[in-house]
Amino acid sequence: MSYVLILGAKGDMAKELARVYAKNGYNLYLAAREASTLEDLKQDIEVRSGVDVELVEFDITAFETHEKFYTSLKKRPLGVIVVAGFMCEQKVAQNDWSKTLQTINVNYTGALSILNIVANDFEKERHGFIVGISSVAGDRGRKTNYIYGSAKAGFSAYLSGLRNRLYESGVSVLTVKPGFVNTKMTESLDLPKNLTAQPEDVAEDIFKAQQRGRNIIYTKSIWMFIMLIIKHIPEFIFKKMSI
């Protein structure tokens, strides 16, 4: 069976995606910094699903290493999923340029760097799929997280253009826009339970959407309607709001 490359494989969503793709018969490349820390996950997946799991070292912000990283994979992947993400509090980012830059480089620049390489390869082969984890935060800038949201907005726009470009090559591109998800990245936040998804549910949604050739999904799906409302609030009203 073909390999799926998961970039940013140490996150909660990424681990659940690994389990979902493995149980459906896909071999895996799990790519992350200090990838050896994923050894227990690798062994568990291999025992449960009987697939091959390779741990590969990858730093999404080390742009100069991306070409060598991709070409050194022992077998070209059928699909690539970018799950890597970084979010800190808005007030921290707006007062610390290093945190702003980290937000941009992890959520946007680094993702583009590796996906440019992947897209060129997939376009040449006329086969494959790309999944990018964006966010509902990118649908409209809000004062509570506009630095993070602007990086995700840029990533969503990139994925849209990539989908347009690669359509004729038979390569699918899925943009995933999660709302609140119960992960380590959000554990300090007081999230509404009825609007908060579990990582395993998000992973199942992503797998089903990718297999069906979908273009964009919100997960939970209710976020599509929430963001539709938020996007249509007139600016003269929206600028006075705290949401």
Side-chain angles (χ1 to χ4, degrees):
M1 179 62 79
S2 300
Y3 278 82
V4 171
L5 169 61
I6 299 178
L7 300 167
K10 291 166 69 175
D12 296 329
M13 270 193 286
K15 290 177 180 177
E16 294 303 328
L17 279 166
R19 292 187 176 99
V20 169
Y21 274 88
K23 77 179 182 181
N24 284 279
Y26 290 87
N27 297 316
L28 301 171
Y29 293 120
L30 301 183
R33 291 183 299 171
E34 300 179 353
S36 60
T37 60
L38 294 169
E39 184 62 36
D40 288 347
L41 177 65
K42 163 185 162 69
Q43 293 183 15
D44 181 64
I45 289 175
E46 288 181 333
V47 169
R48 290 176 183 272
S49 301
V51 299
D52 180 45
V53 180
E54 299 284 336
L55 303 181
V56 285
E57 197 67 22
F58 177 74
D59 183 346
I60 199 164
T61 64
F63 316 128
E64 70 282 357
T65 68
H66 290 178
E67 184 80 44
K68 183 177 180 181
F69 161 80
Y70 186 73
T71 57
S72 68
L73 296 175
K74 69 178 185 180
K75 187 175 181 182
R76 173 190 166 278
L78 171 68
V80 175
I81 307 175
V82 180
V83 196
F86 172 77
M87 181 178 67
C88 68
E89 290 186 17
Q90 171 65 31
K91 288 184 179 179
V92 173
Q94 70 192 34
N95 289 293
D96 184 342
W97 174 247
S98 68
K99 293 300 184 183
T100 293
L101 195 59
Q102 185 177 1
T103 301
I104 295 167
N105 284 343
V106 173
N107 295 297
Y108 180 70
T109 317
L112 271 58
S113 172
I114 186 63
L115 285 182
N116 279 353
I117 296 165
V118 172
N120 290 341
D121 181 42
F122 282 13
E123 186 174 43
K124 179 181 177 181
E125 296 294 328
R126 303 185 68 81
H127 193 52
F129 69 84
I130 293 168
V131 178
I133 310 301
S134 186
S135 172
V136 297
D139 280 9
R140 189 165 190 179
R142 295 176 291 119
K143 68 179 182 181
T144 54
N145 69 347
Y146 65 84
I147 291 177
Y148 173 78
S150 65
K152 288 300 189 180
F155 189 38
S156 292
Y158 172 85
L159 291 169
S160 177
L162 200 61
R163 182 162 46 247
N164 188 197
R165 167 192 164 190
L166 296 178
Y167 173 75
E168 292 185 354
S169 301
V171 178
S172 65
V173 178
L174 171 64
T175 303
V176 181
K177 295 185 177 184
F180 299 135
V181 183
N182 187 19
T183 66
K184 290 178 182 178
M185 192 167 73
T186 61
E187 63 185 358
S188 64
L189 304 177
D190 183 19
L191 303 178
K193 290 185 179 180
N194 59 335
L195 296 179
T196 303
Q198 298 304 313
E200 55 269 28
D201 297 327
V202 174
E204 289 285 355
D205 286 347
I206 292 170
F207 177 77
K208 291 174 183 177
Q210 180 270 306
Q211 293 287 300
R212 294 170 181 167
R214 297 276 301 278
N215 300 314
I216 302 170
I217 63 162
Y218 288 79
T219 177
K220 296 182 172 186
S221 58
I222 192 174
W223 282 98
M224 178 176 66
F225 302 103
I226 293 172
M227 296 314 299
L228 183 65
I229 293 169
I230 290 175
K231 286 189 291 185
H232 283 84
I233 298 172
E235 194 68 21
F236 75 93
I237 296 174
F238 186 77
K239 69 181 181 180
K240 303 173 186 177
M241 299 175 68
S242 294
I243 59 174

